Each structure stands twice: as C-alpha cells, then as structure tokens.
Amino acid sequence: MATLLDPTAHIVSTVGRVILVGAGPGALDLLTVRAVAALKQADVVVHDGLIDPRVLDLAPAAAQRISVAKQRARHTLPQDAINALLVAHAKTGAIVVRLKGGDPFIFGRGGEEVEAVRAAGLPVEIIPGVSAALGCAAEAMLPLTHRDHSSAVSFVAGQCKGLADQDWSGLAGKGRTLVIYMGVATATDIADKLMRDGVAPDMPVAVLERGTLDGHRAIRTLLADLGQMVEREKVASPAIIVVGEVVNLSDAEDKLGRWARIAESVA
C-alpha cells in the first residue's frame, strides 16, 4: 500500500509508459507527494508553459525536458503532435511524464492523451493535481460552495469555438457558482452571454489572477461591469472568473465599490 513514507509504492514498474501529472495552479508546495515521486523517476518531461522551473528541477538532471507551451491562437505543437510525441518516447522504453498545469482532466486535454497512449498499446497513469479553480479560490478565501449561498458549482471554458452557441443556461445564478477558465480575453462576451441567459447584472463576480503565484491578486465587481473591470485593471492570463453570491464572502478587492467611493469624493 502506498504511504507518504513510500510514495513510489503504487507506481507500476513496467518499462516504457506515460504518466500524466497535474502540477497544480503554480505554487511549488501544492504539488502532491505522488507527483514529486513521478518526476523523480522521469526520463522525459513533456511540460506545459507557466510551470515553475523548480518543479522541472525535481526531475533527474539527465531527463530530457520538452516544452509544449500553449498560448492563445499560438501553440508550440498541435495536440495531435503532442500525443505522437508522448507515444514515440514511451515506445523507446522511457518513463514519460506529461506535466500539466492544474489537473490533467480539467481542461487539460488529458482525456485525449490517454486515448492516444492506450491506442498505441502503452500503459498510462494519471496523477491528479490541484485545479486552478480550487487553488485560486482557496487563496482568495472564496468558498465555491456554501450551505447558505451555493449548492452547485460548474466549470466551463471561456476560450472556445462558438462561445455564443455554448449552452450555459442554468449554470449561473442564485444558489449556484460558475467558474470560468480561460475567460479573460472574452470577459465582455461572457458577461453579455450570461445576462442574456437571465443572470442578474448585479450578480457578484471575481477575477482571480495568477493564483498561488508571485503577483497574484483577487478582484471583484458586478457581472455587468466584468469586461470593463478586466480592461481597467489590465488583467492578464492566467486568471479564472468566478460568478456567484459566494464571491461576496471572499477577500477579493471590491473594484466597483472603490470607483464609486472615488466618484463620491469628487462630486
């Protein structure tokens, strides 16, 4: 049985395999014990961007490190090529660690990579990570569920094809929390979409920028002001957006209230 004293006990000893590892939201000390154990035995590390260099340093010095960083509208490698890369290295007998920000199965395309590795007849393992939603919300003291305010939480991607056609009805509103990944660039469109779906314009919304990383900040406003706040505050990725009454319980700075106070003082 695997224990904290023996973090490698669960790992299959088969030579030539792929291990999908969640690196968490950014902070080194949010890696799991199992993730550290996998990195220490890696022959090849295929990693996302924004991975702390100290995390990569956990792999042996001789391990090959390959960046497949993705940015909006510009990928180092398309997903099919990443899949082929994992398979090719594993077929040489290497232990391949696919290191992903957050959790592999939450907007990490982990499912696609598992399918590709299995189709090649190779063993694959998943090591979960702390998702950005959980890590960033915890840092901002923002409970995604709360008995008095929210009994449901949903995760969606804000940067995707056909955003206007995505059916988010019922995901946001009273008694619910909506967490939006990759939504900074489309924040105005997201606010408009939610309000068209019937979410109140004065629904609290928070933006959690660079959560668990240096320079992190948590700011909040009302849904109708979301796009304008992102522009005013020059919010940059990585960031997540949280929509729901639970936002009022957080430590996020009330940016709309600040501007209202400034306006009152000038009047």
Side-chain angles (χ1 to χ4, degrees):
M1 180 181 296
T3 68
L4 290 177
L5 298 179
D6 184 14
T8 64
H10 77 287
I11 296 176
V12 180
S13 60
T14 307
V15 174
R17 65 190 186 277
V18 176
I19 309 173
L20 274 62
V21 175
L28 176 66
D29 55 1
L30 287 178
L31 276 175
T32 66
V33 173
R34 187 176 292 185
V36 172
L39 281 164
K40 287 184 175 180
Q41 62 172 344
D43 298 309
V44 180
V45 180
V46 179
H47 63 90
D48 286 350
L50 301 177
I51 300 293
D52 191 318
R54 295 174 297 171
V55 174
L56 296 176
D57 287 344
L58 294 171
Q64 184 177 0
R65 292 156 172 80
I66 303 171
S67 173
V68 291
K70 293 183 175 71
Q71 295 181 14
R72 181 174 169 83
R74 182 167 63 85
H75 293 180
T76 303
L77 286 177
Q79 188 61 49
D80 287 347
I82 294 173
N83 297 348
L85 182 69
L86 299 176
V87 169
H89 279 285
K91 281 185 173 179
T92 69
I95 297 174
V96 182
V97 168
R98 175 67 173 101
L99 189 62
K100 295 172 169 291
D103 180 87
F105 279 174
I106 300 183
F107 302 118
R109 298 190 179 182
E112 298 171 48
E113 293 174 358
V114 166
E115 288 180 286
V117 175
R118 283 182 163 176
L122 295 164
V124 59
E125 178 186 355
I126 308 297
I127 298 179
V130 177
S131 173
L134 305 183
C136 298
E139 181 175 63
M141 294 292 177
L142 196 166
L144 296 179
T145 63
H146 189 289
R147 287 198 301 169
D148 296 331
H149 302 284
S150 176
S151 60
V153 59
S154 301
F155 301 148
V156 299
Q159 178 182 311
C160 57
K161 295 179 181 178
L163 177 62
D165 297 327
Q166 298 294 314
D167 184 5
W168 292 358
S169 58
L171 299 184
K174 187 172 181 60
R176 287 156 285 171
T177 305
L178 180 64
V179 180
I180 304 163
Y181 286 68
M182 302 169 285
V184 170
T186 55
T188 297
D189 294 335
I190 286 169
D192 290 344
K193 174 181 177 62
L194 290 173
M195 288 187 289
R196 283 197 305 270
D197 286 345
V199 181
D202 62 351
M203 177 63 70
V205 57
V207 177
L208 310 181
E209 181 183 24
R210 293 186 58 80
T212 80
L213 298 167
D214 291 340
H216 63 86
R217 61 174 172 165
I219 55 180
R220 65 185 173 94
T221 186
L222 302 178
L223 182 60
D225 182 54
L226 174 60
Q228 293 93 319
M229 182 186 74
V230 166
E231 184 175 349
R232 284 195 311 268
E233 298 297 326
K234 297 180 172 57
V235 176
S237 295
I240 64 169
I241 298 169
V242 182
V243 182
E245 295 170 336
V246 289
V247 166
N248 286 334
L249 303 176
S250 73
D251 289 344
E253 182 181 357
D254 182 1
K255 289 296 183 178
L256 190 62
R258 174 177 175 271
W259 282 106
R261 290 191 295 274
I262 291 174
E264 288 177 0
S265 66
V266 172

